[in-house]
Amino acid sequence: MIRVRFAPSPTGYLHIGGARTCLFNWLYARNTGGKFILRIEDTDLERSKKEYLDEILESIKWLGMEWDEIYYQSQRFDLYHKYAEKLIEEGKAYRKEGAVFFKYDFETIEIDDLIRGKIVFKELPKQEEVIIKSDNSPAYNFCCVIDDALMRVNRVLRGEDHISNTPKQILMYKGLGFEVPQFAHLPLILSPQGGRLSKRFGATSIREHRQMGYLSEAIINYLMLLGWSPGEDKEIISLNEAKNIFNIKDVNKTGAAFSMDKLNWINGSYIRSMNMEDLSKISKDYLPDNYLPSWVSQDYYNKVISIFQERTVRLTDLAESMKFCFYDDFKYNEETQKILDNDLSDKINCLIEELNNVNNFIKEEIEEKFRKTAETLEVKMRVLVHPTRVALTGNKNGPGLFETIEILGKEKVLSRLRKLVEYWGGINE
Ligand code: GLU
């Protein structure tokens, strides 16, 4: 049975790279009917924080993954010390300046990496390695080997940045008399400019992405594509579908560049496919406190959401873009004022009159009135459409104008158009 593990250190929030490692381990376990172990590598008591631990667990669950077993290294210190003593007794480790060192018995090491194929390690930079530090805390490589062995982890999937640890760990497995697992090193995640994805690039934690209005389904879908592809140019794929077809052999060797545009595109596509009830509910989590005026009914809110659904990239964008649907007090800005350069008071007054006569205030009827008015005035539709949009929304672009008009309702529409006429009147005074 395949046993894999994800081994985060709670010294920071779960980041994109960690989440991708977690995901590929999870997919591998679920695809093969194996076990997915979560091991919290909290041996660095100074830097490990409960806040980070809680967030890591929360983010993994939020992304839709669950673990079969969980262990904390901080609860296993006795075990690591016991093995250190054993190595000392066997002459494979020794104490020096307070710390315990493992003596490498180096030989050329060859591994058959499940992703990268054959890797040969011809030398190590050091002849020894600290396994118990002078403050008595056990070191990463040592705990990792003992735990992977005792937890019967038989496939170690981790980031390529750990390749240099692999030969050291193999020598420790051998020194401790444990069976060596198979390794799979995942390609690095690169920033769009190339180079490693780092804080300098901007948001790197899952938490920040969540706060920025990305859906968990979109993030997890995007993470899958960082080094793996479901084939046939398919890019939108759920966790459930992916677990049926994931194969570690299909993971790329080459670095995967993080693309915000791609993530945005995927997020937008998940938002478009959401049902109204879910989108309406989740979108409210992203509105500032007291954003919605008390007169807003659920029905009105749903209608507003429905016209924005098509064009929303991130849930956090909604608060700003929907504002004109809830508030009247917006001003024309420098850019939109340019659209209002020509005084069209007479024409807009005609439009007001026509719209006032619409009994069934639905988009088809509204559009019809626009056409009629444009025809009568012998102008192109856009002559009326552009200033009307600015008057109603304060923006140059937005959802379909006739739908917007229907949703805002006659009263708001007429009063905002009258305000535009007043604005022209004010300029010309
Ligand atoms: N705690 C290590 C890390 O966060 C785990 C490395 C490994 O998977 O062996 O990178």
Side-chain angles (χ1 to χ4, degrees):
M1 181 193 275
I2 300 286
R3 288 177 63 86
V4 292
R5 66 8 177 228
F6 172 52
S9 307
T11 52
Y13 297 120
L14 183 65
H15 54 88
I16 293 286
R20 198 266 319 246
T21 303
C22 180
L23 170 64
F24 282 27
N25 274 287
W26 185 90
L27 286 171
Y28 194 14
R30 293 294 172 262
N31 177 263
T32 55
K35 292 284 182 219
F36 174 62
I37 298 164
L38 187 58
R39 183 170 73 228
I40 305 301
E41 303 212 322
D42 51 357
T43 50
D44 187 335
L45 302 174
E46 285 271 301
R47 289 172 58 230
S48 298
K49 297 261 172 342
K50 168 109 177 33
E51 181 197 346
Y52 296 137
L53 169 65
D54 291 345
E55 185 277 334
I56 291 170
L57 301 183
E58 168 67 25
S59 283
I60 294 174
K61 286 188 264 183
W62 180 71
L63 289 170
M65 297 176 280
E66 70 301 309
W67 50 87
D68 302 306
E69 298 167 28
I70 184 168
Y71 302 94
Y72 294 85
Q73 288 190 326
S74 58
Q75 294 169 3
R76 299 165 64 87
F77 275 26
D78 287 352
L79 201 79
Y80 310 129
H81 284 118
K82 197 186 90 189
Y83 278 100
E85 286 306 325
K86 182 171 176 272
L87 288 177
I88 294 173
E89 273 166 33
E90 292 170 0
K92 294 172 182 164
Y94 44 84
R95 267 179 221 287
K96 200 172 74 175
E97 297 145 11
V100 181
F101 289 80
F102 176 75
K103 208 174 5 173
Y104 287 130
D105 189 6
F106 193 75
E107 47 180 300
T108 296
I109 295 169
E110 203 179 294
I111 63 165
D112 189 16
D113 190 285
L114 290 168
I115 295 169
R116 312 177 64 85
K118 190 164 117 171
I119 308 178
V120 182
F121 301 95
K122 291 222 167 73
E123 55 185 346
L124 278 186
K126 299 188 264 184
Q127 264 110 47
E128 57 180 17
E129 184 81 24
V130 181
I131 54 174
I132 303 287
K133 299 182 200 164
S134 52
D135 66 0
N136 237 357
S137 63
Y140 155 70
N141 280 302
F142 190 52
C143 303
C144 181
V145 167
I146 292 173
D147 283 347
D148 282 339
L150 299 186
M151 292 168 193
R152 292 172 286 120
V153 169
N154 46 22
R155 303 285 188 280
V156 173
L157 262 70
R158 60 184 171 197
E160 191 187 289
D161 47 329
H162 282 287
I163 285 191
S164 61
N165 286 321
T166 301
K168 301 180 198 169
Q169 294 184 1
I170 289 175
L171 293 174
M172 288 188 197
Y173 277 101
K174 292 186 171 164
L176 288 159
F178 294 140
E179 200 179 316
V180 180
Q182 269 197 292
F183 291 91
H185 290 95
L186 302 170
L188 285 182
I189 300 178
L190 308 171
S191 75
Q193 295 78 32
R196 274 187 75 173
L197 189 69
S198 71
K199 287 239 165 63
R200 257 174 298 140
F201 161 72
T204 53
S205 71
I206 295 300
R207 182 174 172 268
E208 282 166 288
H209 283 86
R210 182 178 181 173
Q211 288 165 347
M212 281 154 69
Y214 291 101
L215 297 167
S216 59
E217 294 87 347
I219 298 178
I220 206 81
N221 188 150
Y222 181 63
L223 291 176
M224 277 181 226
L225 305 181
L226 290 173
W228 179 70
S229 148
E232 294 163 16
D233 290 337
K234 195 173 161 72
E235 295 196 294
I236 298 294
I237 177 167
S238 70
L239 205 47
N240 218 15
E241 278 176 89
K243 84 175 189 215
N244 294 328
I245 58 170
F246 180 81
N247 188 335
I248 190 76
K249 297 254 176 326
D250 297 334
V251 175
N252 295 330
K253 284 199 258 295
T254 45
F258 188 87
S259 156
M260 210 67 190
D261 289 342
K262 188 70 163 279
L263 174 60
N264 285 340
W265 176 78
I266 292 178
N267 206 52
S269 134
Y270 275 90
I271 289 179
R272 284 193 292 282
S273 67
M274 277 178 99
N275 71 47
M276 181 45 53
E277 212 171 293
D278 291 344
L279 182 58
S280 166
K281 194 157 164 267
I282 196 169
S283 61
K284 286 191 179 165
D285 295 341
Y286 288 87
L287 301 178
D289 289 343
N290 306 319
Y291 171 89
L292 287 179
S294 54
W295 59 264
V296 176
S297 66
Q298 186 61 47
D299 182 52
Y300 182 69
Y301 184 76
N302 287 355
K303 282 184 180 149
V304 171
I305 284 288
S306 73
I307 58 168
F308 284 98
Q309 181 164 15
E310 267 300 306
R311 44 192 304 119
T312 299
V313 172
R314 302 188 298 196
L315 295 169
T316 37
D317 301 337
L318 279 167
E320 187 52 37
S321 50
M322 304 191 296
K323 221 169 173 175
F324 72 85
C325 299
F326 307 116
Y327 297 94
D328 295 312
D329 57 351
F330 58 81
K331 300 242 175 341
Y332 312 136
N333 61 34
E334 240 175 78
E335 205 190 358
T336 49
Q337 271 172 3
K338 284 198 197 111
I339 297 174
L340 309 179
D341 267 354
N342 288 339
D343 182 343
L344 302 174
S345 299
D346 293 347
K347 298 188 171 59
I348 294 298
N349 274 330
C350 290
L351 184 67
I352 291 173
E353 214 169 294
E354 286 293 339
L355 289 177
N356 198 18
N357 290 333
V358 181
N359 289 326
N360 189 11
F361 211 67
I362 56 167
K363 63 176 189 236
E364 292 80 8
E365 302 274 323
I366 294 161
E367 184 167 359
E368 182 50 35
K369 286 291 178 204
F370 262 78
R371 272 189 210 298
K372 232 186 97 196
T373 315
E375 245 172 61
T376 317
L377 297 172
E378 295 181 343
V379 293
K380 293 239 159 67
M381 275 280 264
R382 64 180 155 77
V383 173
L384 301 176
V385 162
H386 292 318
T388 300
R389 181 185 290 286
V390 172
L392 301 185
T393 72
N395 300 314
K396 232 170 68 175
N397 305 308
L401 183 64
F402 307 120
E403 279 173 286
T404 306
I405 293 178
E406 172 182 333
I407 284 165
L408 286 172
K410 198 192 259 188
E411 198 186 320
K412 274 201 182 50
V413 169
L414 296 186
S415 101
R416 289 183 191 182
L417 285 174
R418 286 189 190 111
K419 233 164 113 178
L420 173 60
V421 174
E422 275 168 39
Y423 165 81
W424 278 318
I427 292 179
N428 294 336
E429 254 167 34

